[in-house]
Amino acid sequence: MNISEGGVLLENLPSVPEINAIPLMLCLPQFPEFHSVSAARLNEIEVDDLEGRIIRVKARTVRQFEGLSEIDQIFVTRIGCEFVLASDEAKAAIKSYVSNFAKNTIFLLNLFESHANDESRIKLLRHVAKLLGYDQDQKLAILRQKVLHDYQSLESL
């Protein structure tokens, strides 16, 4: 769901292995920088069409289960993992991905500021939001709030 140079947030794992270094293979979609792509071309891009960069890392879970019964732990759907072993190549790929994601998030925030109820701009805004992993069908105010929150989180790294 979310990745940084320090770790990753995983969702919908069937179970969490009880080991200190979980081997992970992650695919980072290689997005173009949206500001350098025409609106028409952006509307044609689909995530499944993007080339992916595969990285291999080892991570340990950092989510705390204190106070949760074994039954409640089963229903936890998101697990935070800290990288304990990542090659320089994997770190560089993650850094590049995060940097590009931040630029594309700024592009999306600018679309929110400039859409002025123009249907074609709103369509582009929703499509870009979908590309970046957001629910494109949410109300624009809520969608903007989520994007802004994520950008502020990126900014604090």
Side-chain angles (χ1 to χ4, degrees):
M1 286 197 66
N2 191 342
I3 191 167
S4 72
E5 292 172 60
V8 64
L9 180 62
L10 303 173
E11 185 174 51
N12 296 328
L13 292 177
S15 67
V16 180
E18 303 254 347
I19 58 176
N20 289 333
I22 303 165
L24 298 174
M25 187 168 64
L26 305 170
C27 181
L28 303 176
Q30 301 300 292
F31 292 106
E33 289 187 15
F34 293 159
H35 67 85
S36 64
V37 179
S38 72
R41 174 67 186 117
L42 264 179
N43 275 319
E44 294 173 355
I45 295 173
E46 294 297 334
V47 172
D48 293 340
D49 299 334
L50 296 173
E51 191 172 314
R53 183 161 185 191
I54 305 294
I55 61 168
R56 296 180 193 309
V57 295
K58 289 192 177 185
R60 69 176 181 88
T61 60
V62 292
R63 171 157 248 186
Q64 297 295 325
F65 292 112
E66 291 175 16
L68 294 179
S69 70
E70 287 184 30
I71 299 294
D72 289 336
Q73 290 179 27
I74 293 170
F75 296 105
V76 172
T77 62
R78 295 181 179 178
I79 303 295
C81 293
E82 175 185 35
F83 296 137
V84 293
L85 185 60
S87 68
D88 289 341
E89 184 181 325
K91 288 177 188 175
I94 294 167
K95 185 175 184 172
S96 173
Y97 174 82
V98 170
S99 173
N100 195 33
F101 191 88
K103 290 174 188 173
N104 287 339
T105 301
I106 292 168
F107 178 84
L108 179 55
L109 286 170
N110 286 333
L111 285 176
F112 278 107
E113 300 305 318
S114 66
H115 73 73
N117 293 326
D118 174 354
E119 278 303 313
S120 65
R121 296 285 283 185
I122 292 172
K123 180 183 174 200
L124 177 63
L125 182 156
R126 290 189 178 281
H127 185 70
V128 169
K130 179 180 129 188
L131 289 173
L132 294 178
Y134 296 98
D135 179 358
Q136 67 180 0
D137 297 323
Q138 286 186 320
K139 290 185 178 183
L140 288 179
I142 294 170
L143 183 57
R144 182 186 178 280
Q145 191 174 26
K146 288 183 177 187
V147 174
L148 183 58
H149 174 270
D150 288 352
Y151 175 71
Q152 290 167 338
S153 296
L154 280 171
E155 199 174 48
S156 68
L157 289 177

